[in-house]
């Protein structure tokens, strides 16, 4: 195992790390690097001192420090005696701790570094490797033995440190050691509900890690065994077979295994037992114990039988040697003199000379062969060039043929037959050369031309390269032996690639195809996108389909979790690839890569697939677009859990809808549209409106289904919802369908323009009129822009000019698409509007925005002449309809707020504002005079009040009600002020609202005065100006203290309800000085009430007010003087009228009394915390239990806790 440990300090490669981990290892803390440099540059440490590093300690010098040797001080360890001692790096300290087996100290250091965010790779690798805690024995090197066992491998970042304890102890590994990687912290939680499957999962994880460790160790062993003998020594062994290469440990174990297997098969059992005893360090029952990550070889018998097929007999060598001539022997006499004594027999000399001579001839013939092949390639290139240039080529062909027919060289040997090199038998020549050249040199001597063929390229004027030959008489063998001292690596895959230079485009592609799979894994993850152009070009031009598939697989797996920019780069490359190769190869090569990763565990990879489907859509065969790709996207939309992936799927579906031309897929597209609109993610729904829906609408328009199917289907679904939702409307689905209709308005208007009678007259000539910036609502995306749908803004301008003229002067006769909107769409929409619940603010808002967009898109003339008349016909605002049940019923529906806020607000000229003011005044008057519910008017005020631009207009309408002659209208106006106060700024409240309320508070009619109380309460709740608050306070005080109101039951009820609603949110001083004392007075007065029904009604409202105020901070004085007395008065009422309320009140009183007695009332810190301090858990439990038992006044208690903050 020592041979495995890297010798460099930080340069060791840990085989267990992923790409990302290795990337992290390259990041070194700056302070640690500087400390290491200071230490290595000449620190003042004494290598012999107890505090210094041992000589074999790797100093952090870029990972290249070598282990020291006995008696050799570390580089830079000796400094000037006057310099201060250098600061040790943390890595060096960690190495010393591990070496001296202070493992607990090292673990504590590792933990502290982790907590501070400065993880040390050395400690991380050590403690995450279970192999470091296996049972081992040994003693640590003593301080005086630097050359001991520990000095052999100064473990690097990935090295294995010896797991021994001082004094020869052991670290015993349990059955399942809990390393930092495998530790499952959930096992030690306090819930105690861990099941067996979790323990199984942990054990499986540890087993998997152990298997990976074993596999990596085997790979390291094999690699170490291969490189154990130096390269030059191996060459010596090959060149001199008589010198026996020493057996390697792994070879010995493998042979032992095969020998033992042979003995057992042939019943030499005793011999086998003896053999096993002599090799007690090996398990002969398991081949994996050999430690090689290679398949088990055949048994000895089979190896022996197969041996003859790989050996050249001595007879062959002797026969061939008979051709050696005397002069050649004399020329090689100096060489023979240097041979070893054991080889100086005549037969051996002849054999050696023959081998040397044949090798020289092979080298010369190969050189001549490739020179001729180069000439053939050049001539063929010129021939192709001349053919492409439409020149006559017989001369070139003849020259090529003559060069092929001429025998370039002869081979002398046993057969003494001439071998003619021609283009037809190049492969045969290659095979013959392969049989002569040793295998280890075969792949490096020249490139595999039989695979690459003779590629044609552009004509080259480059002549064959020639080199000056020295005028010397040295033998070729001597030259070759001399050149062997140039250390060139041609024995490896990379050396083979480096030793040959590609000489054509095709061979370049082949070389890239071979090299890229080895390059990509060794490039940093953050920089791998730099390889995309290289991968794509190779995949485009490579002749082998299998290699192209591998390269595209590498492209899609290039980055484990590609970010947005990296995905865009890959998509750009895919589109470039598709443009270059055409639809057939895109279908055959790119789409399978997408299909393979459709269920990848990383959402970024699935995101890449979804985006690729859209990006490649224009370059796929149309049958594939509407079948395979559509099915892939449908599957991902239905099954993928990641919002980002489904969003990308929707965008790609939109692109597919722009290219699909199979009408049979229309219904499938509609189902996908409904699924996308109902998606729970807002991102997906937004993408649907921006991309998918406009693209699908464009296709629907081409098919003629926009008015025939798509819009009517959505309307029918809305009507079905309203029919089924009488007791509970599904507002989410209503929003889904209505928003889809809203997004279809631009497509509908474009259809109306394109099918208009004047569409053929719309020609672009002369000066094109400009379209007003505010002519259309702002589109959600460019695909919803009418000018984009039409084709250009200039074309749209011409069509709009003709459209307005047609509506204003010529009407809609023969204009089928517009007549459908007027006669079918609008009446159906208005009917639907009449069915929705007017109290549903969300529904009113949705339909209001829909009509606003519809009217703004179709224009002012269309709105005034087609939309408004249909609403006015239904509403029929006139004095005659005051008593009419039909007119009264329509005014109470949602038609009123939607007409006011969706149609009348589309245009804001003076006449439009006057029309809106008049409509609201008429509605307020008619509803008031007919004693109808005011919900429709309130909905209009709420919707308009959300926009500050309409505050002045609404105040104008209310002032009309303030000065109206009818008390009913004045009372309605007073109640409307409550809705308006919250959204209006304080200046308008002071200048317009409060004066109007003061006017109404002195109205002759008591009902009008009472109607102003909620509005005054809302002002107290929302306004902070002291002057305004004082005016409101004075007005409310006049209501409570004026004798004329002492017996006004309805006024007291309204004040108590208002106090309970605004008290928790009002200014604290107003609550303490005004609200709570007056509630106490009202509770006292109610004790004297004779009429039980009125007394119970006021008591119930008081109970609700006190329940709400109990959540506020109340001082001890106020609690004693007003709050508790008020509660006791209220309890007196409830004892006689509502015993169930009395139990709750008793609990509240008891709790408050305890708080006062214990003096634990805290300072105000927010209403919720104060409520928690005043009402204990026990009281709250009793209170809620009693609330659940109430049957008579449950509706009154529904809002007890709604006003908390």
């Amino acid at each position: 195992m020592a041979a495995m440990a890297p010798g460099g300090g930080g340069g060791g490669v840990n085989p267990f790390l992923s790409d990302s981990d290795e990337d992290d290892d390259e990041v070194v803390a700056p302070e640690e690097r500087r400390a290491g440099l200071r230490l290595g540059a000449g620190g003042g440490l004494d290598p012999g001192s107890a505090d210094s590093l041992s000589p074999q300690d790797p100093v952090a010098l870029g990972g290249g420090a070598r282990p020291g040797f006995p008696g050799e001080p570390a580089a830079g360890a000796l400094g000037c005696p006057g310099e201060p001692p250098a600061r040790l790096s943390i890595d060096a300290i960690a190495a010393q701790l591990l070496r001296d087996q202070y493992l607990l100290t090292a673990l504590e250091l590792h933990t502290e570094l982790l907590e501070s965010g400065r993880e040390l790779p050395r400690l991380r690798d050590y403690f995450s490797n279970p192999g470091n805690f296996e049972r081992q024995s040994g003693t640590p090197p003593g301080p005086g033995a630097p050359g001991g066992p520990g000095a052999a491998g100064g473990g690097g970042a990935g090295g294995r440190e010896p797991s021994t304890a001082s004094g020869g102890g052991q670290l015993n590994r349990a059955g399942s050691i809990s390393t930092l990687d495998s530790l499952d912290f959930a096992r030690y939680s306090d819930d105690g509900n861990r099941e067996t499957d979790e323990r199984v999962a942990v054990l499986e994880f540890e087993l998997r890690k152990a298997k990976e460790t074993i596999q990596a160790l085997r790979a390291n062993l094999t690699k170490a065994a291969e490189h154990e003998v130096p390269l030059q020594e191996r060459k010596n062994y090959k060149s001199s077979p008589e010198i026996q290469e020493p057996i390697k440990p792994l070879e010995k174990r493998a042979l032992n295994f095969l020998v033992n297997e042979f003995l057992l098969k042939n019943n030499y059992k005793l011999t086998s037992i003896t053999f096993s005893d002599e090799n007690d360090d090996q398990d002969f029952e398991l081949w994996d114990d050999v430690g090689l990550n290679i398949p088990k070889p055949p048994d000895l018998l089979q190896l022996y039988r197969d041996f003859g097929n790989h050996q050249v007999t001595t007879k062959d060598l002797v026969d061939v040697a008979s051709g050696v001539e005397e002069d050649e022997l004399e020329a090689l006499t100096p060489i023979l003199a240097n041979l070893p004594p054991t080889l100086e027999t005549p037969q051996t000399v002849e054999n050696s000379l023959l081998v040397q001579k044949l090798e020289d001839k092979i080298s010369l013939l190969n050189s001549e062969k490739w020179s001729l092949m180069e000439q053939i390639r050049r001539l063929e290139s010129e021939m192709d060039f001349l053919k492409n240039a439409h020149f006559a080529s017989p001369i070139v062909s003849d020259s090529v043929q003559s060069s092929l027919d001429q025998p370039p060289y002869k081979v002398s040997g046993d057969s003494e037959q001439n071998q003619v090199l021609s283009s037809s038998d190049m492969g045969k020549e290659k095979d013959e050369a392969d049989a002569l050249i040793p295998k280890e040199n075969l792949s490096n001597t020249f490139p595999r031309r039989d695979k690459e063929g003779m590629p044609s390229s552009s004509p080259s004027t480059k002549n064959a390269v020639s080199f000056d030959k020295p005028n010397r008489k040295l033998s070729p063998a001597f030259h070759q032996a001399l050149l062997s001292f140039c250390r060139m690596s041609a024995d490896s895959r990379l050396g083979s690639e480096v030793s040959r230079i590609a000489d054509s485009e095709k061979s370049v592609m082949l070389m890239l195809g071979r090299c890229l799979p080895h390059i990509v894994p060794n490039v940093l993850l953050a920089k791998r996108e730099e390889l995309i152009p290289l991968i794509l070009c190779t995949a485009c031009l490579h002749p082998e389909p299998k290699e192209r598939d591998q390269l595209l697989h590498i492209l899609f797996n290039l980055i484990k979790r590609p970010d947005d920019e990296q995905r865009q780069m890959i998509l750009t490359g895919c589109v470039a690839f598709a443009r270059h190769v055409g639809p057939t190869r895109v279908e055959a090569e790119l789409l399978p890569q997408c299909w393979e990763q459709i269920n990848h565990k990383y959402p970024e990879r699935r995101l890449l697939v979804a985006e690729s489907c859209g990006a490649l859509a224009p370059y796929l065969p149309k049958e594939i677009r509407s079948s395979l790709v559509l099915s892939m996207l449908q599957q991902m939309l239905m099954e993928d859990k990641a919002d980002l992936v489904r969003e990308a799927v929707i965008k790609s579906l939109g692109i597919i809808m722009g290219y699909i031309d199979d009408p049979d897929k229309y219904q499938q597209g509609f189902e996908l549209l409904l699924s996308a609109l109902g998606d729970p993610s807002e991102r997906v729904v937004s993408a649907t409106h921006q991309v998918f829906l406009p693209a699908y609408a464009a296709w629907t328009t081409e098919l003629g289904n926009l008015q025939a199917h798509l819009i009517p289907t959505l309307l029918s679904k809305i009507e079905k919802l309203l029919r089924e939702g009488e007791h509970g409307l599904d507002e989410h689905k209503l929003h889904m369908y209505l928003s889809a209709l809203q997004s279809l308005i631009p497509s509908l208007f474009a259809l109306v323009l394109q099918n208009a009678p004047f569409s053929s007259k719309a020609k672009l000539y002369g000066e094109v009129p400009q379209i007003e910036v505010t002519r259309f609502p702002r589109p959600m995306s460019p695909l919803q822009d009418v000018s984009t749908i039409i084709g250009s803004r200039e074309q749209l301008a011409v069509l709009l000019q003709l459209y307005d003229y047609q509506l204003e002067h010529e009407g809609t006769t023969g204009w089928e698409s517009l007549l459908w909107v007027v006669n079918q769409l609008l009446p159906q929409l208005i009917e639907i509007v009449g069915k929705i619940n007017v109290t549903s603010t969300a529904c009113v808002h949705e339909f209001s925005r829909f009509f606003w967009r519809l009217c703004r898109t179709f224009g002012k003339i269309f709105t005034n002449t087609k939309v408004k008349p249909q609403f006015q016909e239904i509403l029929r605002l006139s004095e005659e309809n005051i008593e009419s049940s039909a007119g009264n019923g329509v005014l109470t529906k949602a038609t009123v707020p939607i007409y006011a806020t969706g149609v009348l607000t589309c245009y804001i000229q003076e006449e439009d504002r006057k029309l809106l003011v008049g409509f609201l005044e008429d509605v307020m008057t008619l509803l008031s005079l007919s004693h109808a519910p005011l919900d429709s008017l309130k909905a209009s005020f709420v919707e308009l009040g959300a926009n500050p631009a309409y505050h002045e207009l609404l105040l104008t309408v209310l002032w009309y009600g303030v000065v109206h002659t009818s008390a009913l209208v004045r009372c309605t106006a007073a109640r409307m002020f409550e809705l308006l106060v919250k959204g209006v700024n304080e200046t308008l409240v002071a200048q317009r609202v409060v004066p109007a309320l003061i006017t109404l508070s002195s109205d002759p009619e008591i009902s009008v005065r009472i109607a102003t109380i909620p509005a005054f309460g809302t002002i107290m709740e929302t306004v902070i100006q002291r002057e305004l608050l004082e005016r409101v306070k004075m007005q409310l005080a006049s209501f409570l203290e004026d004798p004329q109101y002492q017996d006004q039951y309805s006024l007291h009820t309204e004040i108590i309800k208002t106090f309970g609603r605004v008290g928790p949110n009002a200014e604290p001083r107003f609550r303490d000085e005004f609200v709570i004392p007056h509630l106490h007075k009202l509770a006292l007065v109610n004790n004297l009430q004779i009429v039980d029904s009125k007394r119970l009604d006021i008591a119930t409202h008081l109970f609700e007010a006190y329940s709400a105020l109990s959540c506020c901070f109340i001082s001890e004085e106020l609690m004693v003087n007003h709050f508790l007395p008020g509660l006791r008065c209220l309890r007196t009422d409830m004892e006689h009228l509502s015993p169930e309320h009395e139990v709750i009140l008793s609990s509240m009183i008891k709790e408050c009394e305890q708080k006062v007695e214990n003096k634990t009332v805290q300072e105000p810190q927010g209403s919720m915390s104060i409520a928690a301090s005043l009402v204990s858990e026990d009281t709250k439990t009793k209170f809620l239990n009693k609330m659940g038992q109430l049957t008579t006044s449950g509706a009154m208690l529904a809002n007890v806790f709604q006003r908390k903050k």
Side-chain angles (χ1 to χ4, degrees), residues 352-370:
S352 301
L353 289 174
L354 178 63
V355 171
Q356 189 70 45
K357 177 182 175 182
L358 291 177
E359 287 181 352
D360 294 343
K361 283 189 176 182
I362 289 171
S363 177
L364 293 173
L365 291 175
N366 280 331
S367 301
E368 189 175 359
K369 171 185 174 181
W370 290 120

Side-chain angles (χ1 to χ4, degrees), residues 170-183:
Q170 296 181 351
L171 281 178
N172 296 329
R173 174 182 169 93
S176 173
I177 192 70
S178 295
T179 62
L180 292 180
D181 282 348
S182 64
L183 187 58

Side-chain angles (χ1 to χ4, degrees), residues 596-849:
E596 286 178 4
Q597 306 208 15
I598 195 171
N599 292 316
H600 200 279
K601 64 178 180 178
Y602 292 131
E604 292 86 355
R605 299 282 276 276
R606 304 197 301 273
L607 194 57
L608 178 62
V609 172
E611 293 171 342
S612 299
C613 290
L616 296 175
Y619 311 103
L620 288 167
K622 61 181 182 179
E623 299 83 4
I624 297 299
R625 276 198 297 259
S626 57
S627 57
L628 176 61
V629 178
L630 191 61
S631 300
M632 288 171 60
L633 292 173
Q634 183 176 10
Q635 177 182 339
M636 295 182 76
L637 179 63
M638 300 301 176
E639 298 177 1
D640 208 293
K641 297 179 180 179
D643 295 351
L644 284 173
V645 177
R646 295 200 306 278
E647 180 187 12
V649 167
I650 290 299
K651 293 179 180 178
S652 294
L653 277 173
I655 298 173
I656 293 291
M657 290 300 152
Y659 285 88
I660 200 169
D661 54 3
D662 184 2
D664 295 336
K665 299 295 180 180
Y666 171 79
Q667 188 60 35
Q668 184 180 358
F670 182 69
E671 293 170 359
L672 286 172
L673 174 64
L674 294 181
S675 299
L677 290 171
D679 195 275
S681 170
E682 285 295 328
R683 300 177 66 101
V684 178
V685 175
S686 177
T688 304
H689 287 286
Q690 293 177 11
V691 184
F692 185 25
L693 185 55
Y696 183 72
W699 185 36
T700 306
T701 303
E702 293 179 23
L703 296 176
N705 289 337
L706 185 64
Q707 293 180 334
H709 177 266
L710 184 55
I711 294 178
T713 304
L714 292 174
L715 287 173
S716 64
K717 288 184 177 295
I718 292 175
E719 289 179 328
K720 183 180 178 182
L721 271 181
L722 295 174
R723 283 196 306 271
E724 296 175 351
E726 294 179 356
H727 303 292
L729 179 64
D730 189 345
E731 293 186 356
H732 174 71
K733 282 193 174 181
L734 180 65
H735 168 72
M736 180 179 83
Y737 296 137
L738 197 57
S739 62
L741 279 176
Q742 184 172 312
S743 296
L744 289 173
I745 292 174
S747 300
L748 179 61
F749 184 62
L751 174 65
V752 169
L753 289 180
Q754 290 168 337
N755 293 342
F758 53 78
S759 58
S760 58
K761 305 175 187 176
K763 305 296 181 184
L764 292 174
Y765 58 88
E767 187 177 353
V768 179
Q770 293 293 322
I771 303 176
E772 295 180 9
V773 179
T774 58
R775 170 61 181 82
F776 293 101
R778 180 178 298 175
M780 289 182 64
S781 78
L783 297 178
Q784 290 190 12
D785 192 339
V786 181
S787 62
T788 303
I789 300 173
I790 294 294
S792 69
R793 198 163 182 83
E794 293 76 15
Q795 183 72 17
L796 177 60
V798 175
L799 288 173
L800 283 178
Q801 191 177 29
L802 296 172
Y803 168 79
D804 291 337
Y805 181 84
Q806 180 85 14
L807 283 180
E808 195 169 1
H809 298 96
E810 299 181 9
T812 58
T813 305
W815 198 346
E816 295 299 331
S817 55
L818 186 63
L819 287 174
W820 180 86
V821 175
V822 175
N823 298 330
Q824 296 187 42
L825 179 62
L826 280 175
Q828 192 174 0
L829 284 170
I830 294 174
E831 182 183 357
I832 290 174
V833 162
K835 295 177 182 178
I836 68 174
N837 185 5
V838 69
T839 60
S840 174
T841 306
C843 291
V844 171
H845 177 73
E846 291 289 338
F847 275 97
S848 171
R849 299 308 299 167

Side-chain angles (χ1 to χ4, degrees), residues 264-515:
L264 289 175
K265 283 183 178 179
N266 292 276
N267 290 323
Y268 298 111
K269 296 182 180 180
L270 294 178
T271 308
S272 172
I273 294 172
T274 305
F275 187 77
S276 299
D277 291 337
E278 292 175 346
N279 296 278
D280 57 351
D281 61 337
Q282 186 171 350
D283 183 4
F284 288 105
E285 295 183 1
L286 184 65
W287 168 257
D288 287 340
D289 184 68
V290 175
L292 294 175
N293 58 335
I294 57 175
K296 177 180 173 292
D299 56 36
L300 286 179
L301 179 61
Q302 187 173 349
L303 289 174
Y304 175 78
R305 288 172 177 173
D306 194 48
F307 175 76
N309 299 330
H310 302 283
Q311 294 296 318
V312 179
T313 63
T314 307
K315 179 177 180 298
D316 294 335
L317 293 174
V318 173
D319 290 344
V320 176
S322 62
V324 179
E325 297 178 3
E326 292 298 328
D327 57 343
E328 293 175 339
L329 290 174
E330 293 173 0
L332 294 174
T333 302
I335 301 176
L336 298 177
N338 296 327
L339 291 175
T342 57
L343 301 177
E344 292 181 355
T345 64
Q347 184 67 28
T348 306
V349 170
E350 289 181 4
N351 292 344
S352 301
L353 289 174
L354 178 63
V355 171
Q356 189 70 45
K357 177 182 175 182
L358 291 177
E359 287 181 352
D360 294 343
K361 283 189 176 182
I362 289 171
S363 177
L364 293 173
L365 291 175
N366 280 331
S367 301
E368 189 175 359
K369 171 185 174 181
W370 290 120
S371 176
L372 293 171
M373 289 177 69
E374 176 66 23
Q375 183 180 359
I376 291 171
R377 185 197 62 75
R378 186 167 61 254
L379 292 174
E380 285 184 346
S381 301
E382 294 175 1
M383 183 174 64
D384 292 341
F385 174 72
L386 292 176
K387 284 181 180 179
N388 294 336
H390 303 287
F391 287 110
S393 58
I395 299 175
V396 179
S397 300
D398 292 342
S399 65
V400 173
Q401 188 62 38
S402 64
S403 67
L404 294 178
D405 293 340
Q406 180 181 359
Y409 63 88
K410 295 181 180 180
V411 179
S412 62
D414 270 350
S415 62
E416 299 183 358
Q417 294 178 351
N418 294 337
Q419 300 289 331
V420 180
L421 178 64
S422 65
S423 60
S424 61
D425 58 6
M426 282 166 52
K428 181 180 178 182
E429 176 68 23
K430 171 70 177 165
D431 295 336
E432 293 172 358
D434 287 353
L436 294 173
I437 301 175
K439 270 192 175 179
E440 60 268 20
N441 298 327
L442 178 63
S443 62
N444 309 313
T445 307
F446 44 84
R448 294 293 299 265
R449 300 294 180 115
D450 58 334
K451 289 186 178 180
E452 297 179 8
M454 298 300 298
S456 61
S457 61
S458 58
S460 173
T461 58
K462 180 180 177 182
N463 296 324
V465 179
S466 61
F467 301 97
D468 294 336
K469 295 184 178 180
N471 187 15
R472 300 289 301 276
K473 296 183 180 180
L474 297 176
S475 68
F478 187 85
H479 273 292
Q480 187 173 358
L482 190 62
L483 290 176
S484 68
F485 287 95
C486 297
R487 299 180 62 83
M488 294 183 292
S489 175
D491 291 341
S492 62
R493 177 197 59 80
L494 184 58
S496 173
E497 297 292 349
V498 172
S499 64
R500 47 179 163 167
I501 303 298
D503 52 6
S504 67
E505 293 88 341
K506 185 175 181 181
S507 56
V508 170
M509 290 301 107
L510 292 170
M511 181 272 293
L512 288 174
R514 292 189 303 269
C515 293

